[in-house]
Amino acid sequence: MVQENGKKVFTMLFAALVTIEFTDLLFALDSIPAIFAITTDPFLVFSSNIFAIMGLRSLFFFLSSMLEKFHYLKYSVFAILVFVSIKLIGLHYFKFPEWASLLFIALSLGIGVVYSLYKDKENQS
């Protein structure tokens, strides 16, 4: 805050800070279905959202830069989102073990990265 003409006013830096923190909150809310795809344990859901608020924005920018480098990673992310959707829809009918969800996520991301590297090497030849 600064004093201008005898009034205290907020600066543009404050507006930028509020916008960034609001974006962090939206990213954290966006991560709730992702954690429910792995577990329904309330402690893990709450703690993961706390960590999401603290660092998900930087992870988002990291992932967006990785999408530019690994062109087929977007298909892996799509497969993960479809898996999460199916898992959330069928939550009452079928229980996926946590290890299976984590294995699917790791395999999906790994396949996307390896295939992108393979295609890039193939295109350079």
Side-chain angles (χ1 to χ4, degrees):
M1 290 183 69
V2 295
Q3 188 115 6
E4 209 173 87
N5 297 330
K7 295 180 182 178
K8 288 187 177 183
V9 294
F10 291 106
T11 63
M12 292 305 290
L13 182 62
F14 179 76
L17 178 68
V18 168
T19 303
I20 288 170
E21 294 307 320
F22 183 70
T23 305
D24 280 346
L25 184 62
L26 287 177
F27 281 139
L29 291 175
D30 184 44
S31 70
I32 291 172
I35 190 62
F36 275 127
I38 297 172
T39 183
T40 56
D41 181 19
F43 173 74
L44 290 177
V45 171
F46 289 126
S47 61
S48 68
N49 279 314
I50 289 169
F51 285 115
I53 290 171
M54 293 189 311
L56 196 58
R57 179 176 17 103
S58 60
L59 184 62
F60 171 78
F61 290 117
F62 173 73
L63 183 60
S64 67
S65 68
M66 288 296 105
L67 285 174
E68 292 173 10
K69 184 175 181 175
F70 302 111
H71 299 289
Y72 292 94
L73 192 60
K74 60 185 167 193
Y75 299 110
S76 295
V77 173
F78 174 73
I80 292 169
L81 291 174
V82 168
F83 174 74
V84 168
S85 300
I86 291 170
K87 190 171 175 184
L88 286 174
I89 291 169
L91 185 65
H92 297 292
Y93 306 110
F94 185 74
K95 171 117 172 76
F96 285 96
E98 284 85 7
W99 64 266
S101 299
L102 292 173
L103 181 67
F104 179 83
I105 291 167
L107 280 175
S108 182
L109 291 175
I111 289 170
V113 168
V114 169
Y115 191 69
S116 294
L117 291 173
Y118 172 75
K119 281 297 200 180
D120 283 345
K121 186 184 253 187
E122 191 177 272
N123 289 338
Q124 289 176 356
S125 298

